[in-house]
Amino acid sequence: KLLGCSDRGGIASSLASSCLHRPTQAAMASAVSARVEGGTSELLRGIPKFRKAPSTGGGRHAATNPVPAQVQRNDALPNNCHELSRSLKRFATAEEKVRWLAEIPGEAFARMFRVEIDAELLQLMVREMYALVVPSCTDDTLPAACRGVLGALARHCPRALEFAASFATAGERAKMEALLTALEGSRSESESEDDLPLARRLLVGSRDN
């Protein structure tokens, strides 16, 4: 069917209007260029941005927790038997171990031994003290340090100390007896009364037993 002149004129007008509203390649390039330069064109408005924020870390992989929470500092006091045993391994000699133990406050012993004292740990401390003061010691500060440690244990955690000592063998019990006798004999008259009698009762019982 042939179109009339008026129909052909209408189609031509519609095609011309459509061409006028279609964006040209130059317009599209201009919009992309505006987007790259930091602006937001009308054609790209509403498109979400997926660019990741730049990392502020100095390295390739930023560390979220550079210091592990469970790592114990060398100057920190132990919190339990396990940490105390591990700390003692840092020292090479019996003297270093005993002097370090003597610097621990009695309240700290009460905290770390609030449940129990490991029997092997107790015998380790007894062996180190025994090596320093039995049969004799020329340095008076070492027996004083030993008395201070045993006294602090007896005063602040008596039940745990007595329970740990109850597992001692006959040989270990004899060593504790010899240690206590040496510490009692090395105390000078100028020293104040300590908790050594209480420590003796908890470790090996009273002399009457």
Side-chain angles (χ1 to χ4, degrees), residues 62-79:
T64 57
N65 186 16
V67 180
Q70 299 300 322
V71 173
Q72 181 186 356
R73 303 193 315 270
N74 289 337
D75 58 344
L77 290 176
N79 294 309

Side-chain angles (χ1 to χ4, degrees), residues 95 99 131-143 186:
E95 179 178 349
R99 291 194 185 279
L132 292 178
V133 302
V134 180
S136 62
C137 180
T138 57
D139 188 349
D140 294 337
T141 62
L142 290 176
S186 62

Side-chain angles (χ1 to χ4, degrees), residues 81-120:
C81 288
H82 176 71
E83 291 184 3
L84 181 62
S85 299
R86 186 174 56 189
S87 297
L88 287 173
K89 294 179 181 179
R90 296 189 287 115
F91 304 101
T93 65
E95 179 178 349
E96 292 174 340
K97 295 176 183 179
V98 170
R99 291 194 185 279
W100 179 74
L101 288 170
E103 294 177 356
I104 298 178
E107 294 77 10
F109 281 129
R111 183 181 67 252
M112 68 180 74
F113 298 139
R114 61 183 178 273
V115 177
E116 65 176 358
I117 299 176
D118 183 75
E120 294 184 0

Side-chain angles (χ1 to χ4, degrees), residues 48-63:
K49 299 180 181 180
F50 297 102
R51 181 180 300 174
K52 297 175 64 176
S55 176
T56 57
R60 182 178 178 181
H61 301 286

Side-chain angles (χ1 to χ4, degrees), residues 5-77:
C5 294
S6 60
D7 293 333
R8 289 197 297 271
I11 293 174
S13 176
S14 297
L15 291 174
S17 176
S18 175
C19 292
L20 289 175
H21 289 85
R22 181 179 301 172
T24 64
Q25 293 182 354
M28 290 292 292
S30 176
V32 172
S33 176
R35 173 69 173 179
V36 172
E37 293 176 359
T40 303
S41 67
E42 293 296 332
L43 294 175
L44 300 180
R45 188 180 300 277
I47 298 178
K49 299 180 181 180
F50 297 102
R51 181 180 300 174
K52 297 175 64 176
S55 176
T56 57
R60 182 178 178 181
H61 301 286
T64 57
N65 186 16
V67 180
Q70 299 300 322
V71 173
Q72 181 186 356
R73 303 193 315 270
N74 289 337
D75 58 344
L77 290 176

